[in-house]
Amino acid sequence: MQAKEEQYFRYIEAVLFWQAEIQTGVFQDKFKLSRPSARRYLTDYIERHDIAAKYDESEKAYVLATPFTPRYISQDFSEYAHLIGEQYVHQLSASPISALALPHRKLNPVILRPILNACRRQSVLDICYQSIKEGGETDRIIRPHTLINSGLRYHLRAYCEKAQGFRDFSLSRIVSAEPEFKSKAKQYKKDDIAWQQEVTLTIMPDPRLSEYAQHVIAHDFDMQSHKKHLKTNAALVNYLMSILRLDVQHPNPEAQQIIMEPDCYRTLRKQKLLWN
């Protein structure tokens, strides 16, 4: 199967699986196909995989008669949301799915290219970095290994010669990045102890909530016995806590909803892994 055909089939399958119908026109507009081509791919997918769907003239759509097991997609809703949401990016009023308009961090491809290459090769870069702590631009020799999406921005995990250790650098604050061939530092991803150290973050409903509310929250987060175990590493655990708002306690338990399980908190505190 060609990559393009598989891309079409993934989209068709996602829409049919989650919406139980797919309009030829929507599929046609998504991939800029002619109507005959769109119709051909739709019927080919349905017939090839023996999907119980028939064309409804009044709906102008192929309507699913019975559920099926997907072949090209997972049953994770976020995958469907991504496939569907991106086509409405310029017409949000027409979208059945919406997302928060988060602040955009500008990433310059001229700077990003050498960073990506350095991550792949674990080679050394000479960067100019806008440091808030130092109140200005500083030159750093770093050996990066991973780009991290922390929810609101990208960070670069790298060994820093100046700090003599592994640090996180906000990608949008890197002013320039050039290959550096004279560095004697031999610290690689495998040497990043915090990155290699697996951490389990355990969350639970806020005990200040009513018993019923705790049950609802546990269901929301797919908890077992009112607990959810999230696997990460020591370098990322504080970012995960920040996203989940576990690093502060809200005075209103209905706003807080979840907390870190006390034994987990004590363990992370004892290991000196928490920023606060």
Side-chain angles (χ1 to χ4, degrees):
M1 177 183 291
Q2 294 182 351
K4 185 177 290 186
E5 185 179 60
E6 183 172 348
Q7 182 186 17
Y8 295 161
F9 281 8
R10 282 185 70 242
Y11 178 82
I12 293 168
E13 185 170 88
V15 176
L16 268 178
F17 181 78
W18 287 102
Q19 296 180 194
E21 65 176 39
I22 181 169
Q23 293 181 321
T24 306
V26 171
F27 173 56
Q28 177 186 346
D29 292 343
K30 165 75 175 177
F31 295 101
K32 310 302 182 201
L33 299 170
S34 66
R35 192 162 187 84
S37 292
R39 192 81 176 258
R40 177 169 58 82
Y41 281 115
L42 281 164
T43 55
D44 187 23
Y45 170 81
I46 290 169
E47 292 171 2
R48 186 185 302 187
H49 300 297
D50 196 25
I51 305 297
K54 292 185 178 181
Y55 189 75
D56 186 317
E57 192 64 46
S58 63
E59 295 290 336
K60 303 296 183 185
Y62 289 88
V63 180
L64 191 66
T66 57
F68 66 96
T69 302
R71 294 170 174 81
Y72 300 95
I73 64 166
S74 68
Q75 297 186 33
D76 186 342
F77 180 76
S78 61
E79 182 181 9
Y80 159 76
H82 175 73
L83 285 168
I84 301 305
E86 63 183 12
Q87 77 188 82
Y88 293 105
V89 69
H90 297 303
Q91 44 176 329
L92 295 180
S93 62
S95 174
I97 299 172
S98 186
L100 293 176
L102 298 175
H104 175 68
R105 305 285 179 129
K106 186 176 181 180
L107 300 177
N108 187 336
V110 174
I111 297 173
L112 195 53
R113 288 190 198 106
I115 290 173
L116 290 171
N117 285 332
C119 286
R120 285 199 305 270
R121 299 170 182 170
Q122 292 198 51
S123 56
V124 178
L125 291 175
D126 182 349
I127 67 168
C128 180
Y129 188 69
Q130 295 174 321
S131 173
I132 292 178
K133 184 181 291 186
E134 298 185 32
E137 295 181 357
T138 64
D139 292 323
R140 307 285 184 101
I141 303 297
I142 66 170
R143 188 185 296 274
H145 65 69
T146 307
L147 283 177
I148 305 153
N149 185 344
S150 62
L152 285 175
R153 59 184 174 180
Y154 277 94
H155 288 85
L156 180 64
R157 184 74 176 174
Y159 179 81
C160 175
E161 284 195 0
K162 183 176 181 179
Q164 291 289 293
F166 286 91
R167 297 291 186 271
D168 295 336
F169 296 90
S170 179
L171 204 57
S172 57
R173 293 178 190 164
I174 297 177
V175 179
S176 65
E178 299 289 341
E180 210 286 335
F181 302 105
K182 298 179 182 179
S183 173
K184 296 180 181 180
K186 298 297 181 183
Q187 296 288 326
Y188 299 91
K189 188 174 185 176
K190 63 180 177 60
D191 303 307
D192 189 345
I193 295 173
W195 190 265
Q196 301 300 334
Q197 181 183 351
E198 186 178 89
V199 171
T200 298
L201 183 65
T202 303
I203 60 174
M204 59 182 285
D206 190 322
R208 295 176 296 170
L209 292 165
S210 68
E211 203 170 305
Y212 175 76
Q214 290 184 53
H215 177 74
V216 171
I217 297 301
H219 182 269
D220 280 349
F221 285 86
D222 191 27
M223 295 180 182
Q224 302 297 321
S225 301
H226 280 210
K227 290 183 182 180
K228 182 77 173 181
H229 305 291
L230 305 172
K231 298 287 187 182
T232 183
N233 64 36
L236 299 179
V237 66
N238 286 280
Y239 294 121
L240 181 56
M241 287 173 56
S242 179
I243 291 172
L244 295 174
R245 298 186 302 173
L246 299 173
D247 50 347
V248 294
Q249 185 178 53
H250 199 285
N252 180 359
E254 291 183 359
Q256 182 75 41
Q257 297 196 1
I258 60 171
I259 64 165
M260 196 187 318
E261 192 265 337
D263 284 343
C264 176
Y265 175 81
R266 284 190 286 269
T267 298
L268 295 180
R269 175 64 67 187
K270 186 177 181 181
Q271 295 174 335
K272 299 181 179 180
L273 297 180
L274 303 181
W275 290 340
N276 298 324

